[in-house]
Amino acid sequence: MTEFQPDNQIQIEINGRACTCTKGEFLLEAARRNGFYIPTLCHHPGIAEQGCCRVCLAEVVENERSKIVVSCVYPVEKPCKVYTDSERVKEDRKVVLMLLALRAPESTEIQALCRQYGVMDGSRFKPIEGEKCIMCGLCARACASLGTGAISTVLRGTSKKISTPYDEPSDVCVGCLSCTRVCPVDAIPYTEDETKRSIWGREFPLVHCQECGAVIGTREEIALAAGKSGEEVQDLCPECRKKKMSDVMAHTYGTE
């Protein structure tokens, strides 16, 4: 008896092993879900794929024809054979990593990948000194998703970078650190002490939980969140708010 196969399910082969994926599912997700490792830099689960870094290359064979694809933006539409670490993939990935290393020679993440894949020596080319950023754009997209748009891509060519307009402190930045949290190469510096956080040329006062004293965020960040949710500005951290709500429920229903 033939096993029932839903119309939207596709049988593919990854590194010689039979796997199932959903039609239209990006190859990177299908591979990872089935336990296969593909390196990435510009991929983030909370932000739509963009295929900027090209580290996640894979080889796809359809109808005996082979091609190299960017797995994070390649939708699987038909049965195929996939190789995540073939010789062709390794060689192409080495070239990509060498170029990224020239772009961001100070990135320890890229250096680690270069060692892992035995990247060829690129010393005959001139690297961009002191640079970590690989221009994946995740930080700018994360910032835009908040509705602030404090940072973006500026300049062109080898001078291209992520920054605030005219490299001046941005009036719309709220110091939320969303940009730093999605950066795959730790390229966005900031400092923080008990009372303030400094990033993108601005200092932001930190707000502490009135119960436990934990940092909730910057004053501007909390005001933005309150404005979006229509709620009052919070003076409690999520854990203390949860505990307070539990106490209220316990008092209301007499379960104390």
Side-chain angles (χ1 to χ4, degrees):
M1 180 182 294
T2 302
E3 184 178 351
F4 173 72
Q5 188 77 23
D7 292 339
N8 66 339
Q9 295 295 295
I10 299 174
Q11 287 290 334
I12 63 175
E13 185 181 289
I14 303 179
N15 295 347
R17 194 178 88 194
C19 302
T20 302
C21 71
T22 303
K23 185 175 182 180
E25 182 179 9
F26 288 132
L27 179 55
L28 174 65
E29 297 301 327
R32 286 186 169 181
R33 185 168 46 75
N34 282 282
F36 293 97
Y37 169 73
I38 297 178
T40 61
L41 285 171
C42 73
H43 172 76
H44 191 279
I47 300 175
E49 284 76 5
Q50 52 189 353
C52 288
C53 73
R54 295 297 197 266
V55 173
C56 67
L57 298 176
E59 184 177 3
V60 173
V61 180
E62 295 176 350
N63 300 322
E64 304 303 321
R65 293 186 177 182
S66 170
K67 59 184 176 182
I68 296 293
V69 304
V70 180
S71 65
C72 71
V73 292
Y74 183 80
V76 181
E77 301 289 352
K78 61 181 72 172
C80 60
K81 294 182 179 180
V82 177
Y83 301 96
T84 64
D85 216 26
S86 66
E87 288 304 314
R88 186 179 175 189
V89 168
K90 288 178 181 177
E91 289 305 311
D92 285 2
R93 188 173 288 148
K94 285 180 182 180
V95 174
V96 168
L97 287 170
M98 183 189 73
L99 294 174
L100 287 173
L102 292 171
R103 164 71 205 182
E106 300 301 318
S107 169
T108 56
E109 291 80 6
I110 293 175
Q111 290 172 14
L113 282 170
C114 286
R115 289 192 296 270
Q116 180 180 344
Y117 287 95
V119 171
M120 64 186 74
D121 180 19
S123 59
R124 65 184 183 277
F125 303 108
K126 185 178 179 180
I128 302 177
E129 295 183 7
E131 184 62 80
K132 284 186 176 182
C133 177
I134 60 171
M135 292 302 300
C136 67
L138 282 175
C139 57
R141 296 177 70 191
C143 187
S145 70
L146 292 176
T148 56
I151 56 175
S152 62
T153 303
V154 299
L155 305 180
R156 296 181 180 180
T158 56
S159 299
K160 190 176 180 181
K161 64 179 181 177
I162 300 291
S163 185
T164 55
Y166 306 106
D167 288 332
E168 295 290 332
S170 171
D171 292 337
V172 296
C173 180
V174 296
C176 64
L177 300 186
S178 292
C179 54
T180 68
R181 291 179 180 128
V182 300
C183 178
V185 289
D186 193 28
I188 303 174
Y190 74 96
T191 60
E192 184 173 302
D193 59 26
E194 290 296 320
T195 61
K196 64 183 181 300
R197 176 184 295 161
S198 299
I199 188 170
W200 297 113
R202 282 188 62 186
E203 283 191 354
F204 300 89
L206 291 174
V207 177
H208 296 77
C209 175
Q210 295 300 307
E211 290 290 333
C212 69
V215 173
I216 305 175
T218 68
R219 184 176 58 202
E220 291 83 351
E221 175 187 5
I222 294 171
L224 177 66
K228 285 180 174 293
S229 66
E231 299 178 354
E232 294 183 0
V233 174
Q234 296 288 341
D235 59 0
L236 296 176
C237 70
E239 287 301 315
C240 288
R241 287 205 306 272
K242 187 187 300 181
K243 182 178 183 301
K244 184 177 181 180
M245 181 61 69
S246 297
D247 292 343
V248 170
M249 295 294 286
H251 178 75
T252 302
Y253 293 101
T255 59
E256 291 182 303

